[in-house]
Amino acid sequence: MLKRLRSAHPMLYCLVAEVLFLGMLFVASLLSLLLILLVVRDIDAVDDYMLTFMQEAVGVLVAWRFLARTGKSGLLRRRGSGFFNGLLVGLYPIALISYNAYNTLLFGRPEGDMLPAWHVVWFLIGMTSVGVAEEFLFRGVIAQTLLEHFGTSRAGVWKACLLSGLYFGAAHLTNLTGSAPLGVLMQCVFAASLGTLLAAVYFRTGNIWVTVFIHAAMDITSMLIGGLYGTQTVADSISTYDITMLTSIAVYLIPTAFLLRKKKLSEVELYFGRDIK
């Protein structure tokens, strides 16, 4: 059934995948809280990032299930350009991540001690699990499906990148339940632009683990102070976003255009041409 839906109605298939993915994250969050209350009976003693990991682990399984049921789980083993060569393709976002981490640690550290090591470990695991789950779904399931639908021509690749970015941005509307509306709207714009760039990196490298690494590193960096010192939650961080986030449109779409310049599109054909019917 999923195979037929993916082939006949790819954009509907992507929407179904996204809705089920987000729905299962919500269910997993509720069940995790219930399990903890039954076993530990003290929700305050449980690290928030451990809950994040439990929730995102379900997301990984949901995304993998979509890949497996449509015969696409092999892309998780696809080498493409290779991981380290792929990091060179994704050098621009990696440079941004490195700069932001350096700037945050140098100028943004609060007074006081860091959280205990086990809190920091759960922070790193939780943020990494977000990167894995979302890349499996938004690049592995959605961007891959759209590329196969639109083809590897320049117009087709751009359509797949932009539309998958919009799916990714829209998914962040779920944060309206805990953060300020303006902050969530700006996060959606930021995420849509970033999703477009990550799709371009994925298409240029043919290796989903490159975008998993970039995505996880970006999530860790964005919450670095909160994760290390416990001074800010994810919901609080999103609420601080303002209209300056609109600059992300240029920050991410300009390098996307560079990655998808005409002479490099042959690499997309090399890695994905056999997937196009």
Side-chain angles (χ1 to χ4, degrees):
M1 176 181 172
L2 285 178
K3 251 186 185 179
R4 292 196 299 271
L5 180 63
R6 185 178 188 271
S7 177
H9 305 286
M11 283 176 277
L12 177 60
Y13 167 80
C14 291
L15 180 61
V16 169
E18 180 170 338
V19 170
L20 287 178
F21 176 83
L22 295 174
M24 288 305 298
L25 290 187
F26 177 73
V27 171
S29 177
L30 293 180
L31 292 178
S32 297
L33 285 172
L34 180 61
L35 178 63
I36 288 168
L37 286 173
L38 290 174
V39 175
V40 182
R41 304 193 178 203
D42 183 8
I43 194 66
D44 293 329
V46 178
D47 190 273
D48 287 343
Y49 291 105
M50 183 175 75
L51 289 173
T52 297
F53 168 72
M54 295 171 70
Q55 173 181 303
E56 297 298 331
V58 172
V60 170
L61 290 175
V62 171
W64 175 82
R65 186 65 174 166
F66 271 90
L67 293 172
R69 294 287 292 180
T70 55
K72 294 298 176 180
S73 60
L75 68 83
L76 301 179
R77 301 185 298 274
R78 181 180 290 171
R79 185 176 183 277
S81 66
F83 180 75
F84 293 105
N85 286 335
L87 293 182
L88 293 176
V89 174
L91 192 58
Y92 174 79
I94 292 172
L96 280 181
I97 292 165
S98 301
Y99 171 77
N100 289 335
Y102 171 80
N103 192 56
T104 299
L105 291 174
L106 192 63
F107 302 108
R109 285 185 299 175
E111 295 182 1
D113 297 328
M114 287 176 54
L115 293 172
W118 68 273
H119 279 286
V120 175
V121 169
W122 274 120
F123 161 65
L124 296 174
I125 292 173
M127 290 292 95
T128 298
S129 68
V130 174
V132 175
E134 292 188 352
E135 287 308 304
F136 279 18
L137 191 282
F138 290 100
R139 256 54 68 186
V141 174
I142 291 178
Q144 176 81 27
T145 297
L146 293 173
L147 183 69
E148 292 181 24
H149 174 64
F150 292 117
T152 56
S153 67
R154 191 176 191 188
V157 174
W158 266 105
K159 287 177 184 177
C161 286
L162 289 169
L163 191 53
S164 65
L166 290 176
Y167 277 105
F168 185 52
H172 292 78
L173 288 170
T174 56
N175 291 324
L176 283 169
T177 57
S179 300
L182 177 61
V184 174
L185 179 60
M186 292 301 101
Q187 187 195 28
C188 290
V189 172
F190 170 87
S193 304
L194 174 62
T196 302
L197 175 60
L198 289 174
V201 172
Y202 173 56
F203 294 155
R204 277 285 310 278
T205 62
N207 189 318
I208 199 169
W209 296 102
V210 173
T211 57
V212 166
F213 175 84
I214 293 172
H215 193 148
M218 186 165 287
D219 284 347
I220 289 170
T221 302
S222 68
M223 285 302 300
L224 199 55
I225 296 301
L228 297 180
Y229 293 90
T231 56
Q232 191 177 50
T233 66
V234 174
D236 291 338
S237 178
I238 294 170
S239 294
T240 65
Y241 295 167
D242 55 29
I243 58 173
T244 60
M245 297 293 285
L246 292 175
T247 59
S248 64
I249 297 174
V251 168
Y252 293 121
L253 293 189
I254 290 174
T256 298
F258 178 76
L259 287 175
L260 299 181
R261 60 196 188 276
K262 188 174 181 180
K263 70 177 183 178
K264 291 296 184 179
L265 289 179
S266 59
E267 295 179 17
V268 181
E269 174 66 28
L270 174 65
Y271 302 132
F272 296 96
R274 62 188 176 186
D275 297 327
I276 309 300
K277 294 182 180 179

